[in-house]
Amino acid sequence: QSPEQTEIADRPVCDSLNLGSLQLVSTLKNPSGSCSVDVNVMWWDEAGFKDLCIVTACEYVVSLWKPADPCQWEKIHTWHFTEVPVLQIIPVPDVCNLVFVALGNLEIREIRALLCSSDDKSEKQKLLKSGNIKAVLGLSERRLVNSSRALCDQQVEVMTFAEDGGSKEKQFLMPPEETILTFAEVQGMQESLLGTTAVNNVVIWNLKTGQLLKKICIADSYQATVCHKAYSEAGLLFVILSHPCAKETESSGSPVFQLMVMNPKTTLNVGVMLYCLPPGQAGRFLEGDVKDHLAAAVLTSGTVAIWDLLLGHCTALLPPRSDQNWSFVKWSGTESHLLAGQKDGNIYIYHYS
Amino acid sequence: CSKADLGPVSLNWFEELSSEAAP
C-alpha cells in the first residue's frame, strides 16, 4: 500500500502552527463486503508471542487480525453469529486473548465473551448477560459494567472475569432513577465510575462499595451527552463530553466535543471549552473516540475530524475515501494510530503526527 | 469562569462523599 498524505485544506481556523497530518500506513480489506460495525485493538498471545492485534466486527462476523509482514495483517480467528447481529466491540483494558462484544438490533440484547479453546485453538463464545441492556463499558482490573432495565427497575452490575472469559464475581451498584446512557472511568481513580443519564445528569459511584455518591445536573448542556474521558485534578472533575444533538451557533460554530469542569462536592459545574468544526465544515457528532489529548469524531457529513484537546482546535480532517463516508474511528493503543472504518468492511490505519 | 464559581473544593472529595453517602 503506497503511503498517502492527507492534510487539512487551507482553512483559516487551522491555518496556524501545529497542524496534524494523517498518513495511511495499512489497509484491512474485507472480502465478504458485509456491513462493518466496529474496530478495536487488543493483545493476543498466539504460541507464546504476544501481539497487539486488530479486532473487526461486521454484523454477523468478528475477526481477529495479527500483524504479519510490514504493514500487512493476517486474519487468524473468526467468530460467527447467526441470530443476533453485533453492535459493538467492548474493549476491556489489561485483558489478553478475550474479546467482548455487545449484540442486538437497536439496543443491546446480549454481551458475549469470545475466546479460543486452549486445546484445539477453535473459536468459542460465552453468553455473559442477556436482557434489555442500556449501557456497557470495559473497566480496568478485568471488569465490565453494564446497566439493564427489567420492568421499572434499573440494574447496574459490575462483572469480574476469569482467564477463561467466565464471570468470576458480580457486584451491584446503586442505580439512579433515570436511565443511564453511558459510563466512563475516572483516570487514575480505579474505585470511581461516572455515568451520564437520559435527563443530562452525571452520576458518580464508588465501585468498591456500590454507593451512588453524587448526581450532578448539567441540564444547561446539550441532550444525549456522551462522556468520553474523565480525570480529577485539584479537587475538581474534568470531563470530555460529546454532543450528538448540538446545533451550530453563530458565535462558536458547530460544537462536537466539550470540556466541562465540575466540583463533585458542590455539584456546581461549568463548560470550559467547546471543540468546534472549522468554518466551512458542516456536520454533527456521529461517533468518536478520545485518547490522551486527542479526540476523533465521525461527522454526519461522513468526514473524520481530529482535535488536539490541549491546543483547543481541529488539527486534521479526513474526507470520505473513494466516495464512501467513514462509519467509525478508534485510536489504537500505541503511537497515535487511527483506525477508520467504512460500511463495506474495509479498515484503514492512519498514522497521526 | 474562576475556580471560586464552583464553590469550596476538596482534594479528598471521593473519600468524603463516600463517607457521607448512603451505604
Side-chain angles (χ1 to χ4, degrees), chain A residues 127-162:
Chain A
L127 177 65
L128 296 170
K129 171 96 183 172
S130 62
N132 187 8
I133 300 160
K134 296 289 182 186
V136 63
L137 181 75
L139 306 173
S140 56
E141 298 184 331
R142 306 178 66 86
R143 297 170 299 172
L144 196 147
V145 61
N146 74 82
S147 67
S148 58
R149 270 209 182 272
L151 298 172
C152 297
D153 291 332
Q154 181 168 226
Q155 204 178 58
V156 188
E157 178 188 42
V158 181
M159 293 187 265
T160 308
F161 297 101

Side-chain angles (χ1 to χ4, degrees), chain A residues 54-349:
Chain A
I54 294 178
V55 188
T56 56
C58 291
E59 269 182 304
Y60 290 96
V61 181
V62 170
S63 304
L64 185 81
W65 305 71
K66 172 187 141 169
D69 298 327
C71 301
Q72 297 292 319
W73 295 84
E74 177 193 358
K75 200 187 285 185
I76 54 167
H77 293 294
T78 304
W79 293 266
H80 294 273
F81 305 88
T82 50
E83 289 169 19
V84 189
V86 180
L87 278 176
Q88 65 174 103
I89 298 162
I90 310 164
V92 182
D94 320 322
V95 163
C96 188
N97 290 31
L98 266 178
V99 181
F100 294 90
V101 286
L103 299 100
N105 291 297
L106 287 174
E107 295 202 321
I108 302 170
R109 277 173 51 192
E110 291 181 356
I111 297 171
R112 286 177 182 261
L114 313 180
L115 63 155
C116 286
S117 153
S118 53
D119 305 327
D120 59 1
K121 301 290 172 205
S122 61
E123 288 87 3
K124 308 270 180 206
Q125 43 181 292
K126 281 186 182 176
L127 177 65
L128 296 170
K129 171 96 183 172
S130 62
N132 187 8
I133 300 160
K134 296 289 182 186
V136 63
L137 181 75
L139 306 173
S140 56
E141 298 184 331
R142 306 178 66 86
R143 297 170 299 172
L144 196 147
V145 61
N146 74 82
S147 67
S148 58
R149 270 209 182 272
L151 298 172
C152 297
D153 291 332
Q154 181 168 226
Q155 204 178 58
V156 188
E157 178 188 42
V158 181
M159 293 187 265
T160 308
F161 297 101
E163 292 283 329
D164 66 354
S167 170
K168 202 168 68 175
E169 226 173 80
K170 280 184 183 176
Q171 188 209 350
F172 292 96
L173 309 182
M174 191 184 289
E177 284 155 16
E178 63 264 31
T179 302
I180 296 155
L181 297 180
T182 60
F183 293 106
E185 265 191 305
V186 183
Q187 277 180 12
M189 296 180 73
Q190 288 191 341
E191 286 176 13
S192 64
L193 179 71
L194 296 191
T196 59
T197 77
V199 292
N200 259 13
N201 285 329
V202 170
V203 290
I204 309 173
W205 287 279
N206 182 327
L207 278 169
K208 203 171 179 181
T209 62
Q211 290 167 295
L212 180 61
L213 299 182
K214 212 74 174 177
K215 195 186 281 190
I216 299 172
C217 178
I218 51 165
D220 289 341
S221 185
Y222 305 95
Q223 292 301 303
T225 295
V226 176
C227 182
H228 294 268
K229 174 181 169 159
Y231 58 94
S232 177
E233 205 172 283
L236 296 169
L237 199 53
F238 293 82
V239 293
I240 299 286
L241 307 170
S242 65
H243 300 302
C245 301
K247 288 193 179 69
E248 193 168 351
T249 59
E250 265 183 37
S251 57
S252 58
S254 192
V256 178
F257 291 100
Q258 185 184 22
L259 172 65
M260 278 195 94
V261 59
M262 35 191 79
N263 182 346
K265 288 286 283 183
T266 62
T267 74
L268 295 170
N269 59 88
V270 67
V272 177
M273 189 179 283
L274 284 172
Y275 299 94
C276 295
L277 285 173
Q281 280 294 318
R284 285 182 288 116
F285 176 91
L286 199 61
E287 207 266 354
D289 193 27
V290 176
K291 185 177 162 51
D292 302 328
H293 66 284
L294 295 174
V298 176
L299 308 170
T300 46
S301 62
T303 291
V304 168
I306 293 174
W307 285 262
D308 186 313
L309 300 175
L310 300 176
L311 294 176
H313 63 71
C314 178
T315 54
L317 290 167
L318 189 61
R321 186 186 172 86
S322 312
D323 290 331
Q324 269 213 66
N325 286 356
W326 295 109
S327 293
F328 46 85
V329 276
K330 289 283 175 341
W331 292 106
S332 108
T334 54
E335 295 173 21
S336 298
H337 281 101
L338 185 78
L339 312 177
Q342 295 177 331
K343 272 209 173 65
D344 63 5
N346 293 331
I347 306 286
Y348 297 87
I349 306 170

